[in-house]
Amino acid sequence: MSLPVWILFVTVALAAVLSPGPAVLHAITNSMTFGWRRVAFSSLGNILGLLVLSSLAMAGMGALLKTSALLFTLLKLLGAGYLIHLGFRQWRSGASLFSQAETLSAAGHSSNGRIFRKGLMVALTNPKAILFFSALFPQFIRPDRVLAPQFLILTTTFMFLSFSALMSYGLVAHTARAWFADERRGTWFNRASGSVFFLLGIGMLRIKASRG
């Protein structure tokens, strides 16, 4: 995998992991309820779930590459459309994730194992993560190269970025949740992240068009 391709993947992955979703909401809620350090357990569970999903997606892509180059190309185009869809949806969302976490958090106790397992289940049932691996991985896969090394690079990169993002959200929730809970700031955050998704999707479509 070339360095420019990897850098492009990092850009797309960062937009994905920083975008508000179930995993981010879970990390923020745990930080408010149990403290920032215990967010690490839910984050570790989350990246384990991501490893499972990426493995399943890569197995499916391996079979796809052997059967139909056309279907593989269509799947790659679907990835660009998915980014654009996420952009529009994020732009229109007016709810602040920090405000949602305030209503979900409550005083209580939970074991580290339970926090880990919940993080795992959040990842395994997260539609955003499932679609990311199945629709966006093909954007960065070379069909004429061995899949295993590409899978290792993409998956470990995404897991590292996801863990870092969740821990960062947990820290922000612990130190500056009142500032981010403001609805206007939440709206602008949603619009900023939505714009990133939209531009990345348009960029990928233009790349496909130029190659055709």
Side-chain angles (χ1 to χ4, degrees):
M1 179 177 293
S2 65
L3 182 60
V5 172
W6 181 79
I7 292 176
L8 178 59
F9 175 77
V10 170
T11 303
V12 175
L14 274 175
V17 299
L18 291 175
S19 172
V24 172
L25 177 59
H26 188 225
I28 293 174
T29 304
N30 281 336
S31 180
M32 293 179 174
T33 307
F34 307 115
W36 175 69
R37 290 179 177 82
R38 298 186 70 186
V39 175
F41 294 98
S42 62
S43 300
L44 288 173
N46 184 267
I47 64 173
L48 176 60
L50 295 179
L51 177 61
V52 173
L53 292 178
S54 65
S55 300
L56 293 175
M58 187 60 66
M61 274 185 276
L64 181 62
L65 286 173
K66 295 178 180 179
T67 57
S68 174
L70 175 61
L71 288 177
F72 184 75
T73 301
L74 291 176
L75 189 60
K76 296 182 78 171
L77 293 176
L78 175 64
Y82 172 60
L83 282 177
I84 295 173
H85 165 72
L86 281 182
F88 276 120
R89 188 177 66 178
Q90 193 64 35
W91 177 273
R92 297 179 62 184
S93 176
S96 168
L97 206 68
F98 288 82
S99 295
Q100 296 177 44
E102 285 278 10
T103 63
L104 291 176
S105 61
H109 301 281
S110 185
S111 68
N112 294 334
R114 185 174 182 181
I115 294 175
F116 175 87
R117 289 191 296 272
K118 189 170 182 180
L120 173 63
M121 293 307 300
V122 167
L124 292 176
T125 58
N126 184 359
K128 185 177 75 171
I130 296 171
L131 287 173
F132 181 90
F133 289 119
S134 60
L136 292 180
F137 256 37
Q139 308 284 343
F140 308 95
I141 293 294
R142 288 284 302 272
D144 57 329
R145 301 291 179 85
V146 180
L147 286 179
Q150 299 181 75
F151 162 77
L152 183 62
I153 294 172
L154 295 178
T155 302
T156 54
T157 298
F158 192 84
M159 290 171 65
F160 172 78
L161 293 175
S162 179
F163 182 85
S164 301
L166 293 177
M167 293 300 297
S168 298
Y169 265 112
L171 180 60
V172 169
H174 182 71
T175 59
R177 63 187 184 186
W179 193 90
F180 276 98
D182 181 87
E183 289 297 332
R184 290 178 299 176
R185 298 187 183 106
T187 297
W188 281 110
F189 177 81
N190 290 338
R191 290 181 177 179
S193 58
S195 298
V196 171
F197 274 118
F198 181 80
L199 292 175
L200 287 172
I202 293 295
M204 285 188 174
L205 285 177
R206 293 184 63 186
I207 291 173
K208 297 304 173 186
S210 64
R211 286 181 180 179

